[in-house]
Amino acid sequence: MNSDTSDPSAIDSQISTADQISYWQSISADVDGMLGGFPQVSRIDIQFSRNFIQKLRRLDNRSTRATSTSTSTSPIQNTAQAQSQSQSPTNTHTNTTYTFQHALEPGAGIGRVTLNLLAPLCAHIDIVEPIEKFTAVLTAPESPLVKNHQLSRVWNLPLQDWTPTLPPAYTANTTTSSPKYDLIFNQWCLNHLSFTSLVAYFKSLIPLLLPTGWIVVKENLSSDAFGADIFDADDSSVTRSDANWRAAFTEAGLRLVKTDLQTGFPKELKLYPVRIYALRPVE
Ligand code: SAH
C-alpha cells in the first residue's frame, strides 16, 4: 500500500553535514532565524505541541499533581502510573513539580521550544545543537534554564557525530531517579539526517528511554504530488513524505502511538504541512 513511498536514498546522497553547519552558522540567533522567516507561527506551533503532550499524558492516564490530589476518583492504577506519580520530579531550587524528569532536545537552536514548551514540563533538559552561538542563549548566566538549574548537558555537535549516553542521576537517592529519558523532543532538525542516519539515531535512543517515556517528532511533510522527498540545497535538508517518516520509525523498531497534523498556521504563508508523531519502542 506504500505506493507513494519514494526511495529516500536517491536524494539523501546530496546531504552534507558541512553544508548544514555553514548554513546555520549564517543564521541569526533569534526566532525569525529558527523559523526560516516565519516567526509568527511560533506561538501556534508551541500551543499545538503543548496540547499534544497533554493528550499523551491522558493516554497514559497520568494525572498532574493537582488532579491527583483533588479529583482522583479511580482506585485502579497500573504500575507505570504508580511509578510515574511517585516519581514526579521536584526541582529542589524552585519547588516546582514537573511532568518529566529527563528530557533530551536535539536541534534546539536558541531554545524556542526548550523555553516555551519544555521548561515548564521537564525538570532536567539535555541539548544537542551544533551551533554554539544558538546555545549561548541557553547557557548564559541569565538564561532561565540556568537560573532554575534545569539545563543539564549541552553538546555542540551535529546529530550525525553525537554518541547518546544515559542522563545523569540528580538525586542522592538513585533508587527513585531512573537515569533514563522520559521525553525526547525532536522538532525541525531531523530533516538534516539521511534516512540511514535517521534510523540509526532512532535505534540509539531506545536504550535511553524509560518504558513510560516518549519520543516525539515534529517535522515538515513533503507536499510532492507523488510522495517524493524534497531536497533543499540551502540548508542541506530533506523534507520527507509522511510515508517515509513512518518507514523510518518502523525500521528503527518504533511504534507510532499517536499523531496529529498541525493546524492553525495561516494558509497564505503556504508552509509545508507539519505533523507531530509520538513513538515508543515496539514491545
Ligand atoms: N528546533 C528548534 C530549532 C529549529 S531550526 C525550533 O523548533 O525552534 C533547526 C535547528 O537544527 C538549528 O538550530 C540548526 O542548527 C539545527 N541543526 C542543523 N543541522 C543539524 C544536525 N545535523 N544535527 C542537529 N541539529 C542540527
Side-chain angles (χ1 to χ4, degrees):
M1 288 301 285
N2 275 347
S3 56
D4 61 347
T5 307
S6 63
D7 173 10
S9 58
I11 63 164
D12 280 12
S13 59
Q14 299 178 72
I15 293 177
S16 149
T17 309
D19 289 355
Q20 294 168 357
I21 305 294
S22 61
Y23 171 83
W24 285 103
Q25 198 59 57
S26 75
I27 294 299
S28 58
D30 53 25
V31 174
D32 187 65
M34 295 302 100
L35 297 183
F38 299 103
Q40 64 271 49
V41 304
S42 187
R43 199 182 49 80
I44 306 163
D45 159 62
I46 296 284
Q47 187 56 49
F48 193 88
S49 300
R50 192 177 293 132
N51 291 345
F52 186 76
I53 289 182
Q54 274 298 117
K55 290 186 203 170
L56 296 183
R57 294 174 65 195
R58 281 202 289 272
L59 267 188
D60 275 343
N61 203 10
R62 287 182 175 187
S63 348
T64 59
R65 192 168 56 157
T67 54
S68 69
T69 51
S70 59
T71 62
S72 176
T73 50
S74 168
I76 301 161
Q77 234 189 11
N78 65 27
T79 44
Q81 284 173 283
Q83 199 188 29
S84 79
Q85 286 176 4
S86 69
Q87 290 185 356
S88 270
T90 305
N91 184 325
T92 48
H93 299 278
T94 60
N95 241 350
T96 314
T97 304
Y98 294 96
T99 306
F100 302 101
Q101 171 80 276
H102 298 286
L104 172 70
E105 189 194 4
I110 60 164
R112 185 186 67 87
V113 174
T114 333
L115 295 168
N116 295 302
L117 177 69
L118 302 182
L121 295 173
C122 309
H124 302 285
I125 304 175
D126 283 349
I127 280 171
V128 188
E129 163 57 54
I131 309 298
E132 202 171 344
K133 72 171 180 183
F134 293 166
T135 54
V137 176
L138 293 170
T139 56
E142 62 273 20
S143 149
L145 287 187
V146 171
K147 284 187 174 161
N148 289 339
H149 304 270
Q150 284 174 281
L151 190 61
S152 177
R153 302 179 293 178
V154 176
W155 291 270
N156 286 127
L157 288 171
L159 274 179
Q160 295 92 326
D161 297 347
W162 175 71
T163 308
T165 54
L166 288 166
Y170 290 95
T171 59
N173 183 358
T174 48
T175 53
T176 59
S177 126
S178 286
K180 285 195 174 186
Y181 292 111
D182 43 12
L183 180 66
I184 302 178
F185 197 93
N186 308 269
Q187 180 164 3
W188 285 327
C189 71
L190 300 184
N191 53 332
H192 290 93
L193 300 185
S194 69
F195 191 87
T196 310
S197 301
L198 190 59
V199 171
Y201 164 68
F202 285 142
K203 278 187 178 161
S204 74
L205 297 181
I206 293 175
L208 307 188
L209 194 70
L210 272 182
T212 50
W214 293 104
I215 298 175
V216 175
V217 172
K218 188 169 187 180
E219 292 286 343
N220 290 346
L221 298 183
S222 165
S223 51
D224 181 86
F226 299 99
D229 294 347
I230 303 166
F231 181 71
D232 182 342
D234 282 348
D235 63 352
S236 196
S237 71
V238 176
T239 304
R240 299 199 186 278
S241 64
D242 177 54
N244 276 337
W245 282 112
R246 289 171 194 243
F249 305 148
T250 304
E251 206 166 312
L254 294 176
R255 168 173 70 93
L256 181 58
V257 180
K258 180 157 185 62
T259 178
D260 277 341
L261 196 62
Q262 170 79 48
T263 53
F265 287 175
K267 293 230 173 351
E268 62 274 16
L269 297 180
K270 296 194 165 57
L271 300 173
Y272 281 126
V274 175
R275 188 169 272 285
I276 187 164
Y277 306 90
L279 306 148
R280 277 186 169 153
V282 173
E283 280 125 23

